[in-house]
Amino acid sequence: MTVPIPIGEIRSDFTIDQPWHRYTREDHATWRALFERQARILPGRACREFIAGLDGLKVAADGVPRFDALSEILERATGWRIVAVPGLVPDEVFFGHLAARRFPVTWWIRRPEQMDYLQEPDVFHDIFGHVPLLMNPVFADYMQAYGRGGLKALALGALPNLARLYWYTVEFGLIETPEGLRIYGSGILSSKGESIYCLDDGAPNRVRFDLMRVMRTRYRIDTFQKTYFVIRAFDDIFAATRPDFTPYYRELATLPDIGSGEIVGSDEVMQRGTGEGWGATPDA
Ligand code: HBI
Ligand code: FE
């Protein structure tokens, strides 16, 4: 549901000026409702780095924030800035921005009737879900490394493998802490239902993060995850992405995909899910 922006206002890198005048009172009310609901359920569920980032960003609880003001705070912390875009942008544009420490943020917000579910990222998912962790230096470095890796993966025709890494870490990752499992994935942090399901429900598998295993694992964009991958520290994913992936992609090309709900022999299984409710959503 990309809300139309006049074509003349979209720059060659797909960025636009945040169309501040186009937010309605209802849009700001939707932002407030989403923000207050997540702020209420995330303490004790979100990792402490996310909570710290959210506090650091003073993300305005009272309405859709001004991207320029957030970029000033973010830039001082980790050199990242936010750029407004009309919606999903082509992969090479997306990776190009990440590689330059620019996070593309969809400018529009969902309709009130979409409070509980939205397929395409909106401003709440992008700002509330992603930006607080961009305040964390290790995570901020990982996101730039991911952008650079994405441009290489595109060139090698290995984008689907890398997209899975992003999906199961940046969007739906869990991290182990002395207090128990915590959420760092943005797709979970911006979703009330999945913020509860991913930690409390017996249905999903929870498996130790393993780079090659994750890059073989399929996912659906329209259901809660059937498998969550658990890291011990952000450096786990940063260290894993340091080497040149070319040999990994060559090996992956010889290995079969793993189903989104499947457990394989090499897995360090932390929870073998019941699979309740999966019948209706076989893998894509
Ligand atoms: N564009 N605006 C935007 N936001 C995203 O998260 C995004 C995108 N384009 C491509 C993309 N994500 C994914 O396909 C890559 O992560 C693989
Ligand atoms: Fe996202």
Side-chain angles (χ1 to χ4, degrees):
M1 180 205 79
T2 301
V3 181
I5 291 277
I7 196 70
E9 294 174 19
I10 304 178
R11 288 183 279 269
S12 60
D13 60 0
F14 282 74
T15 61
I16 57 173
D17 294 331
Q18 182 183 12
W20 185 254
H21 60 286
R22 296 194 47 185
Y23 296 114
T24 64
R25 291 163 55 84
E26 184 181 63
D27 289 335
H28 290 297
T30 301
W31 172 276
R32 269 198 304 281
L34 288 164
F35 183 97
E36 286 158 10
R37 186 168 75 175
Q38 288 309 95
R40 201 171 36 250
I41 63 173
L42 287 179
R45 292 182 180 277
C47 63
R48 56 182 169 70
E49 295 83 352
F50 174 85
I51 301 291
L54 196 56
D55 295 345
L57 272 180
K58 301 178 187 56
V59 167
D62 60 356
V64 178
R66 287 183 185 267
F67 295 2
D68 290 347
L70 288 191
S71 287
E72 292 312 310
I73 301 169
L74 190 53
E75 190 157 33
R76 276 198 297 276
T78 57
W80 277 78
R81 290 191 68 80
I82 291 166
V83 288
V85 292
L88 288 174
V89 300
D91 290 338
E92 69 278 0
V93 172
F94 181 68
F95 290 122
H97 282 304
L98 295 189
R101 290 197 177 230
R102 291 190 298 265
F103 191 74
V105 172
T106 293
W107 75 272
W108 49 262
I109 194 162
R110 68 192 75 183
R111 309 296 321 130
E113 59 274 15
Q114 297 172 301
M115 278 285 285
D116 292 335
Y117 184 72
L118 183 76
Q119 189 132 328
E120 192 178 341
D122 71 340
V123 67
F124 183 75
H125 166 79
D126 281 336
I127 296 278
F128 187 91
H130 283 281
V131 173
L133 274 174
L134 285 173
M135 293 282 282
N136 175 281
V138 173
F139 201 84
D141 288 351
Y142 168 67
M143 286 291 275
Q144 180 173 31
Y146 180 84
R148 290 184 174 140
L151 294 173
K152 277 193 67 176
L154 270 171
L156 294 167
L159 188 65
N161 298 117
L162 200 81
R164 289 168 174 173
L165 175 63
Y166 188 83
W167 186 266
Y168 283 116
T169 55
V170 174
E171 294 295 355
F172 292 97
L174 300 180
I175 185 167
E176 200 171 29
T177 78
E179 298 75 36
L181 290 185
R182 292 291 181 269
I183 303 163
Y184 73 92
S186 306
I188 307 176
L189 291 164
S190 58
S191 156
K192 174 190 173 231
E194 197 149 8
S195 295
I196 295 165
Y197 173 84
C198 71
L199 296 179
D200 296 4
D201 206 291
N205 302 320
R206 291 196 205 99
V207 172
R208 177 67 64 203
F209 171 81
D210 172 90
L211 181 68
M212 292 294 278
R213 186 340 181 162
V214 165
M215 292 204 284
R216 293 176 57 194
T217 306
R218 288 196 296 270
Y219 61 87
R220 288 181 63 113
I221 62 169
D222 59 352
T223 64
F224 289 171
Q225 305 326 299
K226 297 178 180 171
T227 301
Y228 293 98
F229 292 94
V230 182
I231 60 174
R232 289 188 177 85
F234 291 140
D235 202 55
D236 289 359
I237 43 180
F238 191 39
T241 58
R242 209 170 275 133
D244 171 20
F245 274 28
T246 309
Y248 296 159
Y249 294 140
R250 246 201 309 277
E251 185 186 350
L252 284 164
T254 68
L255 298 168
D257 282 352
I258 297 171
S260 57
E262 209 181 322
I263 294 276
V264 294
S266 55
D267 283 343
E268 179 190 336
V269 179
M270 303 167 82
Q271 167 169 300
R272 183 180 294 271
T274 63
E276 191 183 342
W278 289 357
T281 56
D283 270 1

